[in-house]
C-alpha cells in the first residue's frame, strides 16, 4: 500500500470528482469532499516524511519503467508543494457551502464539489509527475477547473473574468505544449530525469539544434510565466481573483500560482540547469528587474483599490514578484527564499482571502468602504485580517519576515545592496494598503441605516485562524518551513544531474 | 534560402497558423471569433507535433509477419496529440459555455460593448 502513495495522491481526488456526480446526495457529497483533501494531506505528509528519510521516490505507473513509462517522482521540492496544496484545500472546504447562493446553484452543489476536486487533482498531479507531457495534461485539468470555479462568482462580471482567464491561460498552456514538443524533437524523451541528462548536449552553443533548445526554453518559460502571472503577464489575475467566489480566490491564490511557480523552478533548475539559464542565457538580467517592478507596481496598484478582493489580488502580483526574485538571484539562498515565500504566501494570502470571505458573508459586499465598524462588530475576523496583513508586510514574528529575510540575505550575499533595499522599501508599500483596510475597519463608524452585522460562526472562523495562526507559528518556528525549503532548494539545484 | 523555406514548409505552415490564431484572439471583439482564433492557435501546435513525427515513406507502427524492417513514423507524438485534441475540445466547450452565459447576462458577446456596460455600472 505505502509504495503506491505517489499515485494515490493524484488518483484519490481525480476519482472523487466524478464520484460526486454519481452520489448527488448533498450530505454524502459534502462528506466526501471534506474527507478527500484531508486524505490528500495525510498522503502528502507521509510522502514528505518518507522523502526526508530515504530521498527521492520514483513510482513507475503500471510497472512500465521510465523513461518509456510515465514516472511519478517525489522529492523534497514537490512533496513540500503537495503538503501546502492539500492543506489549503482542506482548510477552504468549510467555506464552500456558503457560496451556494441561489436555489438553482444549491441543487447542483455536487457539480461544484466535483470541479473543486478536479482542480485539486490537477494541481497535485502537476506536482507529483516526473513526465513533461503528463504535467501539461494536469496543468490543463487544473486550469479548466479553475476557469469554471471563477465563473461561479455572484456578479456577472465573473463570467467575463473567467472568459479572459480562459483565453490567456490556454495561450500559456499551448506555449508550454509547444516547448515540450521542441524539447522532444531534440532529445526524444519526455521524462524529466532523462531530459536533464540529454538536454546539455544540444544546449551548448554552436551545436546543431542549440537554437531549437533555446526556443523550447523560451516557450516553456513564457507559458509558465503566464500561468504564474509574472509581471507584465499578470493582467488576468486581479480580474479573476476579484470576481471569483471568495473561497475560490483563497484556494486559487494559495495553490494555483504556487504550483506554476514550482513547475517553472523545476524547468529552470532541474531540466535546463542554472549554468545554462543564468550563465549562458542571463535570464536573471530580465527576471530581476521584472520581479522588482512587480513588487512595486503590484503594491502601488493595491493601494488605490476600492475593492478588498481586488486589493488582495494586486498584492498577490507583488508577492509573486518576491518569489520570482528568489529565482532570479540565481543562488541556493535565493531559491530558498522563493520556496519559503511560496509556503508563507500561500498561508497568508489564503488566510486573508478567507477573512475577506467572512466579511463578504456578513456585509454582502467586498468594498473597502463597507467595512466601516467591522473592527468592533466582527472582532475575530478583523484580528485575523490584521495579523495576515502584518505577515504580508513582513513584520518580525510572522512568516512574511522569514521569507523576506532569506531574500535580503541572498541579495547581500552577492553584494546587491540596491536589491536588498528595494525588498525592504516595497514592504513599506504593503503597510500602506493594509493600513487602508485597518483604518476603515477600526476607525470608521458603520452607517446607522446599514443592515446589522455580527461575527461569522466558528465553522468559518476556525479555518481562517488555522491559516493565520500558521503564519505566526511558522514566523516563530522556522525549522519546518525554512529547513525543508533550504533542503528542497538544494535538491532542485543539484537534482537530476 | 529557398531550401529553408521549401524544405521546412511544414514549420512555416505552423508559424502562419499560429500567428493567424493569435491575431484573431487579440484583434477580434466578438467572443465567439476569439474562440475560433484560439482553436486555430491550438491546431498549429497539433500540426507541429504530427509533422515532426512523420517519417517520409513511413507507415503505421504495426509489426507485420515476414517483414522485419518496417519503416514507420514515430507514434508517440501522434498519440500525445490525441490527448491534446481532447484538451482542446474541453477548452472550446467551456469557452462556448461561458459565451452563452455572458450572452444571457449581458445581452451581447462583443467585447467593447461588455466593457462599456461594466464601466456604466461603476
Amino acid at each position: 500500500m505505502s509504495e503506491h502513495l505517489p499515485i494515490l495522491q493524484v488518483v484519490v481526488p481525480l476519482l472523487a470528482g466524478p464520484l460526486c456526480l454519481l452520489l448527488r446526495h448533498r450530505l454524502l457529497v459534502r462528506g466526501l469532499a471534506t474527507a478527500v483533501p484531508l486524505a490528500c494531506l495525510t498522503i502528502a505528509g507521509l510522502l514528505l516524511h518518507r522523502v526526508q528519510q530515504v530521498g527521492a521516490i520514483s513510482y513507475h505507473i503500471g510497472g512500465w519503467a521510465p523513461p518509456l513509462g510515465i514516472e511519478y517522482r517525489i522529492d523534497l521540492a514537490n512533496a513540500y508543494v503537495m503538503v501546502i496544496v492539500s492543506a489549503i484545500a482542506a482548510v477552504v472546504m468549510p467555506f464552500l457551502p456558503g457560496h451556494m447562493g441561489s436555489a438553482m446553484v444549491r441543487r447542483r452543489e455536487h457539480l461544484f464539489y466535483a470541479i473543486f476536486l478536479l482542480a485539486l487533482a490537477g494541481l497535485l498531479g502537476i506536482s507529483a509527475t516526473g513526465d513533461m507531457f503528463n504535467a501539461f495534461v494536469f496543468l490543463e485539468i487544473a486550469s479548466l477547473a479553475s476557469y469554471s470555479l471563477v465563473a461561479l462568482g455572484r456578479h456577472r462580471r465573473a463570467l467575463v473574468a473567467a472568459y479572459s482567464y480562459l483565453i490567456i491561460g490556454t495561450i500559456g498552456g499551448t506555449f508550454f505544449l509547444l516547448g515540450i514538443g521542441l524539447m522532444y524533437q531534440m532529445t526524444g524523451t519526455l521524462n524529466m530525469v532523462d531530459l536533464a541528462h540529454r538536454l546539455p548536449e544540444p544546449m551548448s552553443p554552436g551545436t546543431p539544434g542549440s537554437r531549437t533548445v533555446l526556443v523550447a526554453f523560451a516557450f516553456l518559460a513564457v507559458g509558465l510565466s503566464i500561468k504564474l502571472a509574472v509581471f507584465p503577464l499578470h493582467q488576468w489575475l486581479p480580474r479573476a481573483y476579484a470576481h471569483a467566489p471568495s473561497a475560490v480566490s483563497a484556494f486559487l491564490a494559495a495553490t494555483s500560482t504556487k504550483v506554476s511557480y514550482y513547475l517553472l523552478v523545476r524547468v529552470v533548475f532541474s531540466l535546463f540547469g542554472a549554468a545554462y539559464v543564468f550563465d549562458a542565457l542571463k535570464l536573471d538580467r530580465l527576471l530581476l528587474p521584472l520581479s522588482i517592478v512587480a513588487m512595486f507596481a503590484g503594491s502601488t496598484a493595491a493601494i488605490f483599490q476600492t475593492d478588498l478582493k481586488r486589493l488582495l489580488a494586486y498584492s498577490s502580483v507583488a508577492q509573486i514578484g518576491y518569489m520570482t526574485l528568489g529565482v532570479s538571484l540565481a543562488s541556493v539562498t535565493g531559491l530558498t527564499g522563493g520556496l519559503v515565500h511560496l509556503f508563507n504566501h500561500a498561508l497568508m494570502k489564503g488566510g486573508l482571502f478567507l477573512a475577506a470571505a467572512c466579511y463578504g458573508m456578513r456585509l454582502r459586499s467586498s468594498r473597502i468602504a463597507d467595512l466601516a465598524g467591522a473592527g468592533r462588530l466582527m472582532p475575530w475576523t478583523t484580528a485575523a485580517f490584521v495579523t495576515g496583513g502584518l505577515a504580508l508586510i513582513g513584520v518580525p514574528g510572522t512568516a512574511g519576515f522569514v521569507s523576506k529575510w532569506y531574500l535580503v540575505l541572498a541579495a547581500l550575499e552577492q553584494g546587491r545592496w540596491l536589491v536588498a533595499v528595494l525588498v525592504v522599501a516595497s514592504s513599506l508599500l504593503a503597510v500602506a494598503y493594509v493600513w487602508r483596510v485597518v483604518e476603515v475597519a477600526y476607525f470608521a463608524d458603520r452607517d446607522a441605516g446599514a443592515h446589522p452585522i455580527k461575527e461569522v460562526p466558528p465553522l468559518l472562523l476556525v479555518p481562517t485562524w488555522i491559516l493565520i495562526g500558521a503564519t505566526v507559528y511558522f514566523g516563530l518556528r522556522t525549522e519546518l518551513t525554512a529547513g525543508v525549503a533550504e533542503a528542497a532548494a538544494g535538491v532542485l539545484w543539484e537534482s537530476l544531474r | 534560402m529557398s531550401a529553408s523555406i521549401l524544405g521546412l514548409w511544414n514549420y512555416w505552415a505552423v508559424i502562419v497558423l499560429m500567428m493567424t490564431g493569435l491575431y484573431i484572439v487579440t484583434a477580434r471583439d466578438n467572443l465567439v471569433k476569439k474562440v475560433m482564433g484560439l482553436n486555430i492557435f491550438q491546431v498549429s501546435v497539433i500540426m507541429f507535433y504530427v509533422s515532426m513525427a512523420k517519417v517520409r515513406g513511413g507507415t503505421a507502427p504495426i509489426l507485420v509477419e515476414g517483414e522485419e524492417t518496417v519503416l514507420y513514423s514515430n507514434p508517440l507524438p501522434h498519440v500525445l496529440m490525441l490527448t491534446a485534441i481532447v484538451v482542446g475540445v474541453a477548452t472550446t466547450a467551456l469557452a462556448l459555455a461561458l459565451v452563452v452565459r455572458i450572452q444571457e447576462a449581458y445581452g451581447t458577446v462583443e467585447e467593447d460593448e461588455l466593457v462599456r456596460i461594466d464601466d456604466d455600472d461603476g
Side-chain angles (χ1 to χ4, degrees):
Chain A
M1 184 69 183
S2 71
E3 75 267 20
H4 291 299
L5 284 179
I7 188 72
L8 282 174
Q9 176 84 87
V10 182
V11 162
V12 168
L14 194 63
L15 291 183
L19 196 58
C20 285
L21 297 186
L22 298 176
L23 287 176
R24 296 184 84 104
H25 187 273
R26 188 189 305 167
L27 286 179
L28 283 178
V29 169
R30 274 191 196 175
L32 181 71
T34 312
V36 165
L38 290 173
C40 289
L41 181 60
T42 316
I43 297 172
L46 288 172
L47 281 174
L48 181 64
H49 182 67
R50 180 104 75 82
V51 168
Q52 274 176 322
Q53 286 179 331
V54 300
I57 306 169
S58 166
Y59 180 84
H60 306 165
I61 291 186
W64 298 90
L68 290 181
I70 293 172
E71 178 193 20
Y72 276 17
R73 198 182 157 79
I74 315 291
D75 60 18
L76 262 181
N78 50 11
Y80 173 75
V81 174
M82 289 191 296
V83 168
I84 184 77
V85 168
S86 34
I88 297 283
V91 168
V92 166
M93 199 47 90
F95 277 83
L96 295 183
H99 288 297
M100 307 300 159
S102 62
M104 197 266 290
V105 179
R106 207 173 299 135
R107 252 193 305 127
R108 300 187 184 163
E109 196 179 313
H110 56 286
L111 296 176
F112 186 35
Y113 287 112
I115 299 172
F116 184 85
L117 290 174
L118 284 181
L120 177 63
L123 293 170
L124 290 172
I126 300 168
S127 316
T129 187
D131 182 279
M132 283 304 276
F133 192 79
N134 212 232
F136 162 75
V137 174
F138 279 120
L139 192 65
E140 288 303 295
I141 292 177
S143 300
L144 283 168
S146 318
Y147 310 146
S148 353
L149 287 175
V150 169
L152 291 170
R154 268 163 209 270
H155 197 276
R156 61 181 178 180
R157 282 183 198 190
L159 297 170
V160 183
Y163 180 86
S164 52
Y165 182 19
L166 181 142
I167 296 285
I168 189 77
T170 305
I171 291 175
T174 311
F175 276 175
F176 185 69
L177 181 61
L178 192 59
I180 297 172
L182 290 163
M183 275 203 308
Y184 178 77
Q185 207 172 18
M186 294 319 299
T187 59
T189 183
L190 294 166
N191 181 284
M192 288 184 190
V193 181
D194 208 26
L195 273 171
H197 287 300
R198 287 178 191 228
L199 269 176
E201 205 187 333
M203 265 179 339
S204 49
T207 46
S210 65
R211 200 196 278 175
T212 310
V213 172
L214 176 66
V215 175
F217 178 75
F219 274 117
L220 290 174
V222 173
L224 288 174
S225 299
I226 291 176
K227 297 267 184 190
L228 173 57
V230 173
F231 188 90
L233 303 171
H234 67 280
Q235 303 293 346
W236 60 267
L237 187 143
R239 293 177 75 184
Y241 289 5
H243 297 301
S246 299
V248 169
S249 305
F251 179 65
L252 292 182
T255 56
S256 142
T257 49
K258 307 297 173 284
V259 169
S260 307
Y261 178 78
Y262 156 76
L263 197 54
L264 181 71
V265 165
R266 181 64 90 190
V267 166
V268 165
F269 289 98
S270 297
L271 257 53
F272 287 84
Y276 179 69
V277 175
F278 298 113
D279 298 344
L281 289 186
K282 311 271 184 224
L283 181 72
D284 46 334
R285 285 195 194 160
L286 177 66
L287 196 55
L288 187 77
L290 285 183
S291 309
I292 290 175
V293 173
M295 279 152 44
F296 280 91
S299 300
T300 311
I303 294 175
F304 294 101
Q305 296 309 314
T306 52
D307 183 281
L308 182 60
K309 278 159 73 186
R310 200 175 265 271
L311 179 150
L312 291 176
Y314 272 107
S315 149
S316 274
V317 173
Q319 303 292 325
I320 288 163
Y322 291 109
M323 297 198 301
T324 51
L325 178 72
V327 174
S328 65
L329 286 170
S331 69
V332 177
T333 321
L335 186 56
T336 306
L339 289 174
V340 174
H341 201 55
L342 179 155
F343 190 91
N344 292 341
H345 180 241
L347 293 179
M348 38 198 184
K349 202 41 76 58
L352 285 169
F353 267 118
L354 288 187
C358 293
Y359 283 136
M361 185 183 162
R362 287 298 186 225
L363 302 169
R364 291 171 222 146
S365 142
S366 58
R367 280 178 50 221
I368 294 175
D370 290 341
L371 289 175
R376 245 170 300 118
L377 297 165
M378 300 171 71
W380 286 100
T381 307
T382 312
F385 193 92
V386 171
T387 318
L390 290 176
L392 215 48
I393 295 165
V395 174
T398 60
F401 177 74
V402 181
S403 26
K404 283 184 186 162
W405 171 264
Y406 274 94
L407 289 175
V408 169
L409 209 63
L412 293 182
E413 239 176 31
Q414 302 172 342
R416 300 192 192 193
W417 286 92
L418 186 62
V419 174
V421 170
L422 289 173
V423 169
V424 178
S426 63
S427 306
L428 294 178
L429 291 175
V431 177
Y433 63 73
V434 171
W435 175 251
R436 282 197 53 216
V437 179
V438 173
E439 189 186 9
V440 176
Y442 279 112
F443 300 107
D445 283 320
R446 195 162 169 76
D447 287 343
H451 65 271
I453 54 170
K454 58 178 196 299
E455 189 56 272
V456 291
L459 180 67
L460 303 187
L461 268 186
V462 170
T464 311
W465 270 99
I466 288 176
L467 288 184
I468 295 295
T471 63
V472 178
Y473 179 80
F474 289 118
L476 299 172
R477 295 196 45 176
T478 59
E479 64 266 38
L480 255 172
T481 49
V484 174
E486 203 166 356
V491 166
L492 280 168
W493 197 269
E494 298 294 325
S495 71
L496 317 184
R497 297 228 155 254
Chain B
M1 185 62 198
S2 65
S4 69
I5 293 176
L6 293 176
L8 300 172
W9 69 271
N10 53 331
Y11 296 108
W12 288 105
V14 168
I15 292 169
V16 168
L17 274 180
M18 179 176 239
M19 291 304 125
T20 311
L22 265 185
Y23 175 78
I24 297 172
V25 170
T26 49
R28 292 292 132 188
D29 272 333
N30 187 299
L31 299 189
V32 179
K33 286 184 182 164
K34 274 176 187 284
V35 176
M36 290 179 187
L38 201 65
N39 273 324
I40 296 174
F41 177 64
Q42 289 177 310
V43 162
S44 76
V45 176
I46 292 173
M47 191 170 143
F48 165 73
Y49 270 79
V50 169
S51 68
M52 156 177 104
K54 173 71 181 160
V55 174
R56 196 159 295 166
T59 173
I62 300 169
L63 200 62
V64 180
E65 214 169 324
E67 282 187 65
E68 297 292 302
T69 54
V70 179
L71 183 68
Y72 60 87
S73 295
N74 184 352
L76 183 75
H78 294 171
V79 173
L80 296 184
M81 282 312 102
L82 288 180
T83 314
I85 289 167
V86 173
V87 170
V89 169
T91 312
T92 309
L94 180 59
L96 291 177
L98 285 174
V99 173
V100 170
R101 290 280 311 277
I102 289 171
Q103 164 73 29
E104 285 169 2
Y106 286 85
T108 177
V109 291
E110 297 292 327
E111 195 172 35
D112 48 346
E113 290 176 29
L114 292 175
V115 172
R116 201 167 51 238
I117 293 172
D118 274 344
D119 284 348
D120 290 348
D121 280 2

